[in-house]
Amino acid sequence: MGLTRRAALAGLGALALPGAAQAIEQTRFPVGVTARPIAAFEPRRQEQRRFGGLQFRSGLVLSSGHPRFGGLSGLARLNGGRDLVAVTDRGYWLTAKVASINGKLTGLDEVEMAAILGSSGRPLTRSGLYDTESLCIHDGAAFVGIERKHEIARFDWARDGVEARARPVPVPPELKRLPRNRGLEALGVMPAGPLKGALIAIAERSGKEDEPTLGAVLGGPQPGLFRLARHDGYDITDLAFLPSGDMLVLERWYQPLRGVGMRIRRIAGRDIRPGALVDGQRLIEADMGFEIDNMEGLSVHLEEGKTILTLISDDNFSFLQRTLLLEFELLP
């Protein structure tokens, strides 16, 4: 969920048009993006690199004059981190090559955006179904969560890339009854353990303040529902899996007079199962004294034997907010 959103008006089924032959309506275009380095995650302590269980590597403030740029809510890094894929909460893909020098981010190259296509080949935005808030790419398939309609779409990313068309993923009725603007913010595919191959989906907040939120195991050998504990007013904004099967959960709080905060927890993969209430240890926590914004996207990749976490923020297309790209290394 961004801090401001418009309502989605129709489901994936509304994208199908009558008639046999449908031309693909694809709008793919380059986007100029500038990057300003972030020297320190905590400006008050320029030399500090370790924060909880993570070590800050580098960060960028991204900006662009293109009106479609912004609202980045889901994130994946592929091919050892060299390729970046993101989704905006207005129904667009963003793809780029990640540039770095000596392990520090320097910018994004070859940045392109493209409309996310529905099953008919028409952009999701034509249906009003554009609140695309979460992304994971696993074994050549991209999964995108659509928050306000509580739907998940699957795309054949390996074959078609941004030209792939949405295919609906069945979800249990409990997910369809989530609060309208507190829906599916986090998606990931379990990489190991008894639930290997299952798609894990978690709602931003399914109940009252600090009540556990609803999660679902979709597909795999043990489908079902579970709950994730919530604390201190944090809402869930994304998840990513470590190769071991442990799950990292990105969280955020927002208060008008205090700004925003973010936290990452590590959930043991063995604890995730239907009927469970899961919780985990805090890896990092930060408020406005750190270089954060509305942090909504999280990805994990391996790089020269190191486990790298990448976070991105959703600026809500507001001049008061920033698009940040942050890199951390998970410490042993």
Side-chain angles (χ1 to χ4, degrees), residues 6-319:
R6 292 183 292 174
L9 304 175
L12 283 174
L15 300 181
L17 299 178
Q22 301 291 343
I24 293 179
E25 296 188 27
Q26 175 64 337
T27 53
R28 185 172 183 171
F29 46 88
V31 175
V33 175
T34 60
R36 177 172 60 82
I38 294 174
F41 182 58
E42 186 179 10
R44 296 166 297 186
R45 296 190 295 167
Q46 292 281 321
E47 301 305 316
Q48 182 71 20
R49 310 303 289 178
R50 177 165 183 164
F51 301 92
L54 304 180
Q55 180 167 296
F56 180 66
R57 283 166 51 104
S58 63
L60 300 171
V61 181
L62 304 176
S63 58
S64 174
H66 198 287
R68 295 292 186 194
F69 181 83
L72 298 171
S73 299
L75 178 68
R77 288 184 68 179
L78 310 175
N79 300 322
R82 294 182 294 276
D83 296 331
L84 181 146
V85 182
V87 293
T88 82
D89 51 25
R90 292 185 179 176
Y92 282 82
W93 301 106
L94 181 144
T95 62
K97 299 291 184 182
V98 178
S100 62
I101 297 177
N102 298 325
K104 294 185 180 297
L105 298 171
T106 58
L108 298 181
D109 297 331
E110 302 177 31
V111 183
E112 291 187 335
M113 296 186 70
I116 300 176
L117 300 180
S119 59
S120 67
R122 293 169 63 84
L124 288 180
T125 52
R126 298 289 182 92
S127 72
L129 206 164
Y130 48 75
D131 200 10
T132 41
E133 289 282 350
S134 48
L135 168 70
C136 76
I137 300 178
H138 181 82
D139 280 350
F143 297 91
V144 174
I146 303 168
E147 184 182 26
R148 293 178 186 252
K149 296 303 293 184
H150 312 312
E151 297 186 7
I152 300 172
R154 183 188 187 278
F155 300 84
D156 192 338
W157 185 262
R159 188 185 70 182
D160 298 322
V162 297
E163 295 182 355
R165 299 185 183 192
R167 296 291 182 264
V169 174
V171 300
E174 290 86 352
L175 293 188
K176 300 295 287 185
R177 294 195 290 266
L178 288 169
R180 181 171 168 273
N181 201 30
R182 300 284 186 184
L184 299 176
E185 282 272 348
L187 289 177
V189 174
M190 178 70 80
L195 300 181
K196 182 178 180 180
L199 180 65
I200 307 299
I202 300 178
E204 176 181 0
R205 184 201 301 181
S206 61
K208 298 178 181 178
E209 185 79 23
D210 283 350
E211 283 185 350
T213 193
L214 187 65
V217 180
L218 305 175
Q222 301 177 51
L225 303 175
F226 67 94
R227 294 180 300 155
L228 172 65
R230 295 177 50 253
H231 308 284
D232 309 318
Y234 277 95
D235 292 328
I236 311 305
T237 61
D238 207 355
L239 71 83
F241 281 101
L242 299 174
S244 66
D246 284 0
M247 181 174 70
L248 304 183
V249 176
L250 176 64
E251 305 173 293
R252 175 213 55 220
W253 57 253
Y254 167 72
Q255 296 179 13
L257 298 180
R258 294 179 58 198
V260 295
M262 77 134 209
R263 181 171 64 192
I264 298 176
R265 278 184 291 162
R266 180 172 182 166
I267 313 296
R270 63 180 178 273
D271 293 342
I272 302 170
R273 61 188 183 277
L277 172 62
V278 300
D279 201 348
Q281 65 182 23
R282 180 184 64 188
L283 285 180
I284 188 173
E285 189 166 9
D287 58 18
M288 294 298 288
F290 298 80
E291 290 281 9
I292 66 166
D293 207 283
N294 177 35
M295 311 309 297
E296 290 212 4
L298 171 67
S299 73
V300 170
H301 74 278
L302 300 180
E303 188 175 307
E304 298 180 348
K306 300 176 181 178
T307 301
I308 306 302
L309 281 59
T310 308
L311 288 77
I312 202 163
S313 66
D314 174 359
D315 69 351
N316 293 303
F317 299 94
S318 168
F319 70 93

